[in-house]
Amino acid sequence: MISLGIIGTNWITEQFVRATDITKTFALTHVYSRTEAKAESFIEDLEKENIKISTDLDAFFKEDFDTVYIASPNALHFSQAQKALENGKNVIVEKPSTSTIQEFTILEKLAHEKGLYLFEAARHIHEPIFKKIEEVVEKHRDDLSGATFSYMKYSSRYDAYQAGKNPNVFTTKFSGGALYDLGVYTVYDAVVLFGQPEKVDYDAEFLDSGVDGSGALTLKYSNFDVNIIIGKTKNSYMSSEVYFGRDTLLLDNGGDINHLDWADDNKNITDIPTTKSENPMDSEAREFARIMTENDHASYDKLLQYARTVNRILEQARTSAGIVFDADEEK
Ligand SMILES: NC(=O)c1ccc[n+]([C@@H]2O[C@H](COP(=O)([O-])OP(=O)(O)OC[C@H]3O[C@@H](n4cnc5c(N)ncnc54)[C@H](OP(=O)(O)O)[C@@H]3O)[C@@H](O)[C@H]2O)c1
């Protein structure tokens, strides 16, 4: 198993560590937290023993482990990943890995120079249900005529935002907002299924904090458009769809995909059988470990290309909407 250090002690890190346990891919050895008490409680919840705790990031990266999983607020990913790579660690960083394409380019170059891996944890594209979507799209590619993806979920942190508590995900300081938090999944959908668009346009509904609470994103391809609806301030139950002229592939959601159907011209709807793992991070843990142990550079380069394209689109989209992050001023 590959030794693992983690940054961030929220539920998502726990879910990732549980996925590495189930898949027997990475073994947690080191935890970084700003506070010892949080690190201890995190380790206790996972019922782990002999885990080393650091509250100093430099000291953490001097420790002996192979790979770091970073699940801190978005704006911290870049400096933490950079420091990890400089200290010889492979990096798995939560989506989106950076606030700007310039940051992504720096990380990519550094990983390459050091001979290390840099993975963006876009969990859903590794799941069997997404592989099925790719298979269906490939089979009908000649008829491909566009898509609509929707991922709009009322965030419990929006209550905190409205109560004036300033949660990280609703701040420009931490590169938050609907596009960077949920939109990133749907941009991945488009990039993996259709490649790089020719034009990107985002129309955002702004919150007073300066981030987008929701919005509509259009990705223009040479023969069709992809329309994307995202939000963190309201709930949508719209299905997502990929169009093939008369026929339609239906996804129950654009990011958290649990069910697929095929609809024909006569409104006959047929279930497409797929499998879904209980822990949605199993598949990515397995794939990252496989790539590392087999040195599968073809698969790695493909993932890196997706991540580069997605991070570029995210920046183009928010620039088109006029969303400015604190990270832009640090350029
Ligand atoms: N793949 C998925 O399904 C999924 C789901 C949810 C989130 N995510 C991603 O995971 C990342 C973390 O999201 P989250 O909602 O867990 O974020 P968060 O709650 O704001 O912060 C995550 C962790 O970062 C540390 N942290 C919080 N505020 C900080 C600050 N001001 N300075 C330094 N460290 C701070 C905390 O750990 P300590 O207190 O221990 O230092 C905290 O547990 C994001 O990039 C998000 O996009 C992915």
Side-chain angles (χ1 to χ4, degrees):
M1 290 219 273
I2 303 163
S3 55
L4 181 76
I6 58 102
I7 297 180
T9 53
N10 201 8
W11 65 271
I12 192 64
T13 313
E14 186 176 326
Q15 192 171 77
F16 183 73
V17 173
R18 289 193 190 281
T20 63
D21 284 347
I22 296 163
T23 52
K24 299 190 176 17
T25 45
F26 297 86
L28 181 69
T29 56
H30 291 79
V31 170
Y32 166 80
S33 172
R34 291 166 301 165
T35 56
E36 195 143 342
K38 265 201 189 174
E40 276 166 1
S41 140
F42 178 81
I43 293 165
E44 208 179 297
D45 287 350
L46 284 162
E47 297 176 12
K48 299 264 179 205
E49 282 170 2
N50 301 322
I51 309 293
K52 186 125 194 244
I53 293 173
S54 306
T55 53
D56 178 279
L57 200 60
D58 290 315
F60 171 70
F61 283 129
K62 294 280 177 270
E63 293 287 342
D64 184 20
F65 61 89
D66 185 84
T67 299
V68 65
Y69 167 74
I70 301 174
S72 54
N74 296 342
L76 302 180
H77 294 174
F78 171 65
S79 60
Q80 291 173 339
Q82 189 177 36
K83 202 168 264 196
L85 293 166
E86 282 165 357
N87 283 279
K89 312 295 184 205
N90 296 296
V91 170
I92 300 171
V93 56
E94 262 307 331
K95 48 76 197 158
S97 46
T98 54
S99 306
T100 66
I101 187 64
Q102 191 187 9
E103 289 180 353
F104 187 87
T105 308
I106 292 169
L107 292 185
E108 190 180 356
K109 186 165 173 276
L110 187 57
H112 180 73
E113 282 167 6
K114 296 267 184 185
L116 293 164
Y117 287 101
L118 169 69
F119 294 106
E120 183 166 68
R123 58 155 177 76
H124 73 308
I125 65 162
H126 300 283
E127 291 188 81
I129 198 161
F130 198 89
K131 300 290 172 201
K132 176 56 83 174
I133 297 169
E134 284 187 77
E135 205 183 287
V136 173
V137 170
E138 208 39 57
K139 188 170 162 202
H140 299 274
R141 194 167 286 280
D142 288 350
D143 297 321
L144 186 60
S145 45
T148 302
F149 297 119
S150 160
Y151 197 3
M152 180 135 73
K153 193 166 183 293
Y154 187 94
S155 165
S156 57
R157 288 172 178 173
Y158 188 50
D159 292 333
Y161 172 81
Q162 287 178 305
K165 290 189 185 143
N166 223 16
N168 296 336
V169 77
F170 284 106
T171 65
T172 56
K173 178 179 175 196
F174 287 111
S175 308
L179 177 68
Y180 272 60
D181 192 52
L182 298 185
V184 56
Y185 291 98
T186 57
V187 173
Y188 256 101
D189 294 342
V191 167
V192 176
L193 298 174
F194 318 128
Q196 180 165 336
E198 292 179 351
K199 197 164 172 270
V200 176
D201 191 34
Y202 186 46
D203 193 0
E205 204 173 296
F206 280 87
L207 299 181
D208 287 344
S209 69
V211 303
D212 50 327
S214 61
L217 172 66
T218 306
L219 306 179
K220 281 203 167 290
Y221 289 82
S222 56
N223 299 328
F224 55 82
D225 286 2
V226 173
N227 296 299
I228 293 176
I229 297 162
I230 47 186
K232 287 184 70 66
T233 57
K234 40 200 157 192
N235 280 318
S236 166
Y237 302 95
M238 250 175 77
S239 58
S240 293
E241 301 176 329
V242 183
Y243 309 113
F244 304 93
R246 293 172 190 273
D247 298 323
T248 306
L249 170 66
L250 299 160
L251 293 58
D252 63 330
N253 188 278
D256 185 17
I257 311 164
N258 287 286
H259 188 86
L260 303 180
D261 282 307
W262 182 259
D264 71 15
D265 204 14
N266 296 319
K267 294 188 188 160
N268 293 316
I269 296 184
T270 321
D271 173 56
I272 300 176
T274 53
T275 53
K276 181 88 185 172
S277 170
E278 215 167 278
N279 185 327
M281 302 179 96
D282 288 6
S283 305
E284 65 175 351
R286 212 176 276 119
E287 180 63 354
F288 298 157
R290 185 196 67 74
I291 289 175
M292 290 168 75
T293 42
E294 293 176 11
N295 260 318
D296 178 356
H297 273 273
S299 298
Y300 174 63
D301 288 346
K302 194 158 91 172
L303 291 184
L304 208 53
Q305 190 186 331
Y306 290 153
R308 189 187 312 123
T309 308
V310 166
N311 278 269
R312 187 181 304 119
I313 292 172
L314 289 178
E315 181 170 315
Q316 286 170 342
R318 69 178 178 86
T319 305
S320 77
I323 302 165
V324 180
F325 287 159
D326 295 15
D328 296 327
E329 280 137 37
E330 288 152 20
K331 265 188 194 175

